Amino acid sequence: MELKQLKYLLSVSELGSFSKAAVVLSVAQPVLSRHIRSLEEELGVELLHRTGRGIVVSDAGKVVVDHARSLMASIGAVSA
């Protein structure tokens, strides 16, 4: 697990869209998707449910997002 993956997960979960997060993060959407998929594979759970209208954070995803927010805040990587 990399901090970059957690940052990407936070952006996607907050914006509700891979494409919006990709623009904000200045990365290609396929790259962003690969990082999230890699994190899901590493953790063995689906973090985001992909729908035609965007994404919904899964129950497991909510736990990881909460921990990621705490971690990022503790290292000063996320502004409040």
Side-chain angles (χ1 to χ4, degrees):
M1 180 180 317
E2 299 175 18
L3 286 176
K4 181 188 299 187
Q5 291 172 315
L6 295 177
K7 179 180 174 183
Y8 288 177
L9 175 65
L10 287 173
S11 271
V12 173
S13 68
E14 289 167 1
L15 296 171
S17 163
F18 279 90
S19 57
K20 289 178 185 175
V23 170
V24 169
L25 295 165
S26 299
V27 298
Q29 187 271 330
V31 171
L32 179 60
S33 294
R34 277 195 299 273
H35 276 281
I36 300 294
R37 178 71 66 200
S38 175
L39 182 59
E40 289 176 323
E41 289 172 2
E42 182 178 342
L43 297 175
V45 294
E46 184 179 43
L47 301 173
L48 305 170
H49 298 295
R50 289 120 175 113
T51 69
R53 302 188 68 137
I55 61 99
V56 177
V57 181
S58 70
D59 290 340
K62 290 176 185 174
V63 172
V64 176
V65 165
D66 287 344
H67 287 311
R69 276 193 191 113
S70 295
L71 177 63
M72 294 296 191
S74 72
I75 62 171
V78 174
S79 59

